[in-house]
Amino acid sequence: MEAAAACAVSVMTAALQPERLELMDAEGLRAVNLHKGTAFPEHPTLWIELASPARRPWKKP
């Protein structure tokens, strides 16, 4: 968890400007796997969602 938390801090202080960060522990991922039928490795994980400017609505100049 400490390494994932340190990574989250690094991402937030960098120029990446993520849309979303989600830090999950092994228990949280186990619950996701059981609910969704997925097989994500059950260890602390940092999910990062990045967006490009193309996702924003285009405005005419």
Side-chain angles (χ1 to χ4, degrees):
M1 281 303 275
E2 291 82 14
C7 182
V9 170
S10 295
V11 168
M12 293 303 294
T13 58
L16 293 175
Q17 299 178 350
E19 288 287 313
R20 177 180 15 220
L21 292 177
E22 186 172 348
L23 179 59
M24 295 184 76
D25 61 6
E27 186 176 319
L29 277 165
R30 190 172 305 115
V32 168
N33 284 336
L34 288 171
H35 179 71
K36 294 284 193 180
T38 53
F40 294 117
E42 295 176 2
H43 53 73
T45 302
L46 179 64
W47 300 89
I48 303 172
E49 181 180 338
L50 300 174
S52 70
R55 283 187 52 187
R56 295 190 181 100
W58 182 75
K59 294 181 183 177
K60 289 184 179 180

